[in-house]
Amino acid sequence: MSDSFLYTSVKDPLATPLLEELLFEYDSRYGTFFNAEGAKAELNKYPPEAFSPPSGNFLLLLRNGKAIAGGAFMRYDDETAEFKRVWTHSGHRRQGLAKIVLRELEQQAIRQGYARIYLTTGFRQPEAVGLYLTNGYRALFDTAADPETIRSLPFEKFLSDTTTAIPDGAPIQAARPQLSPVHT
C-alpha cells in the first residue's frame, strides 16, 4: 500500500471521482434542503482559485495513484484558513484517513501563515462532528442543542494547539514537496 499527498487543483482529473462522490453524498443527506440546486450549488459556490496558493490549497491523499481522501482550505481572514470538503471515499472509510488529511491540512495552513482554522459542517454529518471534536476543534455552537435547529455547525481551532508531527511521528519539514509519502 503506497499512500502520498498531492497538492493540486480542484480541476485535477484525479480529484473528479472523489468530488463526484462527495456531491452524491451531500445530495443523499440534504437533497435540496439548503438550495434548489442541491449540493452542486455548494460545490460551485467558490471558484477553484479560492483553493490555490498563496491563500488556499487543495490536497488529495492518493493510494497507488488514486484519490482516496482529500480536503481544501481558503482564506477566511488574515489569520484564519477555512477548511472545506474534508472527505474520505466511501470505500476507504474507518482507516483514520480523514484525521491524516486534517492534520496535513493544518500543517499546510501553518506553512502558509495561518494561525487559526474555521470550518462548518452540516447537521446531518455526525461523523464530521466527531472528527472535529476529537481532534481539538472547539464547537462554536451549543453541542447540547438539536443540530437540525442550528443547521450549519461551526468549529475553530488555533493552530498553536496543533501537533508538530505527522501521524507516524516523523517531524514536519519546512517545505513539503508536491508529492510526499504518508505512512499509515
Side-chain angles (χ1 to χ4, degrees), residues 14-81:
L14 287 171
T16 301
L18 199 65
L19 293 173
E20 285 175 351
E21 190 185 54
L22 177 61
L23 178 69
F24 176 79
E25 183 80 14
Y26 282 173
D27 275 338
S28 298
R29 291 187 188 215
Y30 298 102
T32 57
F33 185 87
F34 288 110
N35 188 298
E37 285 184 68
K40 189 173 186 175
E42 171 59 28
L43 290 183
N44 292 326
K45 192 173 183 178
Y46 308 101
E49 297 76 31
F51 305 110
S52 298
S55 57
N57 228 313
F58 183 78
L59 171 70
L60 294 175
L61 176 57
L62 304 178
R63 178 167 293 160
N64 300 321
K66 291 187 178 184
I68 59 170
F73 65 86
M74 61 185 205
R75 181 183 184 278
Y76 184 77
D77 63 33
D78 287 344
E79 70 169 21
T80 308

Side-chain angles (χ1 to χ4, degrees), residues 143-162:
T143 57
D146 178 1
E148 194 158 343
T149 64
I150 302 169
R151 297 186 181 176
S152 182
L153 310 176
F155 292 85
E156 74 175 349
K157 182 175 185 176
F158 289 89
L159 292 172
S160 60
D161 299 336
T162 302

